[in-house]
Amino acid sequence: QVELADSGGGLVQAGGSLKLSCAGSGRTFTDLVMAWFRQASGKEREFVAAISWGRGTTTKYADSVKGRFTITRNNTKETVYLQMKSLKPEDTAVYYCAAASSFFISTNTRTYNYWGQGTQVAVSS
């Protein structure tokens, strides 16, 4: 059993920054690949970023956020973060923290077993 608590969303103007957090509990954090997905109103859930831990830490980003968003993790605190910069109106969505019992990163929602409740990010023009 794994519980994820995501937070940090809010309202920001285009070009601004925001940092999201996801705290995990119930399982050893290093056993899990952690990721962020987002879902805009009326659209399907899409991959944003992921971070894994095996022989070394690796990251993956969607092309739409590459160079603007940064994902990091603190295994001791069992927390993953998403630093978002240069935000655009099209970034507006509910952002979800997710976890998978794997050391290999996937961009498919079906891979992830555990999900946070979601945190709203709204970017105004």
Side-chain angles (χ1 to χ4, degrees):
Q1 185 178 13
V2 175
E3 301 288 341
L4 300 178
D6 40 24
S7 62
L11 176 63
V12 64
Q13 291 187 340
S17 300
L18 207 58
K19 188 174 184 178
L20 308 182
S21 299
C22 176
S25 63
R27 180 175 292 190
T28 302
F29 191 69
T30 53
D31 288 342
L32 305 172
V33 169
M34 304 296 296
W36 290 95
F37 289 78
R38 66 187 183 187
Q39 187 166 22
S41 180
K43 302 188 68 176
E44 64 183 358
R45 192 167 299 186
E46 65 176 358
F47 172 80
V48 176
I51 185 166
S52 64
W53 181 259
R55 292 185 294 173
T57 301
T58 58
T59 58
K60 186 178 182 66
Y61 298 92
D63 289 341
S64 60
V65 306
K66 193 172 300 181
R68 299 188 298 121
F69 291 10
T70 303
I71 186 170
T72 57
R73 66 191 295 168
N74 187 317
N75 291 334
T76 300
K77 296 182 179 295
E78 297 187 337
T79 304
V80 64
Y81 307 92
L82 184 68
Q83 177 66 61
M84 305 182 292
K85 298 181 178 179
S86 300
L87 284 163
K88 305 174 181 179
E90 51 262 45
D91 293 319
T92 296
V94 176
Y95 284 69
Y96 296 90
C97 177
S101 300
S102 174
F103 289 108
F104 298 96
I105 290 176
S106 172
T107 61
N108 193 327
T109 58
R110 300 291 185 180
T111 303
Y112 294 86
N113 310 105
Y114 313 103
W115 295 86
Q117 293 300 117
T119 183
Q120 176 71 59
V121 172
V123 184
S124 62
S125 60

